[in-house]
Amino acid sequence: MSGIKLNAAQIAAKKLGVVRRETSFTMDESDHLLEKCRKAYRECFEKEPHPLIVQAIKHQSNQCLNVAGNVTTFSGEHLGDKDMLVMYKILKDQYLFVSVNLSYNNITDEGSHSVAQLIKSSSSLICLNLMCNDIGPKGGELIAAALQTNSTLESLNMNGNKIGRNGVLMFARALQFNIGLKELNVGHTDMNIDSMIAMATVLCFSNCTLLRINLNRPLLKNMEEEIISGHISHLLKMNPVLIELHLQQLGMEDYGATIISESLRNNTILTHLDLSCNRIGEDGMNMLADAMAVSGTTELLNIGYNRIGNTGAVYLADLLKVNTSLKTLIIVSNNIGVNGIITIIEVLINVNKSLTSLFIWGNDVQPSAGEAVHRLLEEKRLSEDCIDVKPYNIEGIYHLGRQFLFRQKQQ
């Protein structure tokens, strides 16, 4: 939630409280690693190292090696499967890096062999980001199998790799044996209902160490979201450690939200709940608000891109009158009219003093809402960098414009 721009691997390591060296490597350390890299490329491929890797080693910071393929300096340059063999050779027995970002590259199932070997052999790697590569089911199975014998990796991001049913099932199996992993992202991996149920079941009965999980956008058929909601509800009832849960794009409606609310009411652990991009309406919002009023532990609620409307906003306003744990509320694009927005803002000004961040863009932001936001900022109830709209005055009338905050990108 910081305003400092971090890559995904750094953010995950920061969440986990990794102890990191605050300075860059010495010249000797960087030169030694570069020489090791050059030697590995010559031995394997008889060519010079990939420029992305050279740049990353030269400009590393805080023990994080950032070789993400979306680095603008090397637009069009991506690491492939052969480069993973070199990465394995230079990282397997080193202690300089605790975090490696390999996101947005061209790693496939072939390169996953080397990634899996790195996970098995490295005793220093804490955070690994493989987001948005081309890893399929076979590669997912290899990486998951490597987790079964690894005890040091704490954060793994597989988001956007189409590992499918079999890949996610293997990750569920790995979680039965792995006791080191604290954060797992398998969102947007084309998992189906079988793998979703397997994940929920393992977290109910077999794994009590994972703290954060992302299960966004499974491929579900009609009515399957109701079945999944039941399993998620059981997970929230049984799991004693999970503090962060992402459930975007499940197709969840009011019934699913109601089922989850029943367990959320008695959950005293969860602090971050993401239900954005679903189909939750005012009735579902009513049940969620009632549950959160009782549990009192949720610090971040993302209910953006749903259908809660003005009535749902009133339920949220009532929640804010009694809840002191909620720090961040995201309700963007929810068909909320100007009256609903004003109701929430009035509660923030007059009653609630604990909420610190509010995201409302995409709802009805008529001038009367602009006046309310102006008052919110004028009375210093929220700071300008903690709300995603900004009022501007035209001939005595306050209008609202969108304000892009970096923290928004981290939800």
Side-chain angles (χ1 to χ4, degrees), residues 139-178:
E141 291 176 23
L142 288 169
I143 293 169
L147 277 180
Q148 295 186 32
T149 57
N150 178 285
S151 60
T152 56
L153 191 69
E154 296 186 2
S155 175
L156 177 61
N157 188 346
M158 295 292 296
N159 192 294
N161 291 284
K162 306 308 178 185
I163 62 176
R165 172 186 181 273
N166 292 342
V168 178
L169 281 175
M170 185 60 78
F171 272 101
R173 175 179 173 81
L175 289 177
Q176 296 181 66
F177 303 96
N178 182 286

Side-chain angles (χ1 to χ4, degrees), residues 54-125:
V54 174
Q55 180 83 348
I57 293 174
K58 287 181 177 179
H59 298 283
Q60 63 71 40
S61 62
N62 296 336
Q63 295 178 269
C64 178
L65 183 65
N66 183 9
V67 280
N70 61 345
V71 177
T72 54
T73 310
F74 292 98
S75 180
E77 296 279 357
H78 297 89
L79 301 183
D81 293 328
K82 293 182 178 179
D83 299 301
M84 291 305 100
L85 177 60
V86 174
M87 293 295 290
Y88 162 65
K89 287 180 176 291
I90 66 175
L91 294 177
K92 64 178 180 178
D93 55 359
Q94 59 81 41
Y95 294 90
L96 300 177
F97 297 112
V98 299
S99 178
V100 177
N101 184 356
L102 293 167
S103 60
Y104 297 97
N105 282 295
N106 293 329
I107 306 167
T108 69
D109 289 348
E110 181 183 344
S112 297
H113 286 270
S114 298
V115 174
Q117 288 300 313
L118 175 61
I119 292 173
K120 287 180 180 179
S121 60
S122 175
S123 58
S124 62
L125 190 61

Side-chain angles (χ1 to χ4, degrees), residues 203-214:
L203 292 176
C204 275
F205 302 109
S206 303
N207 183 288
C208 292
T209 55
L210 195 73
L211 302 179
R212 299 176 174 89
I213 190 163
N214 185 320

Side-chain angles (χ1 to χ4, degrees), residues 155 190 312 316 338 354:
S155 175
D190 287 358
L316 275 173
V338 65
S354 55

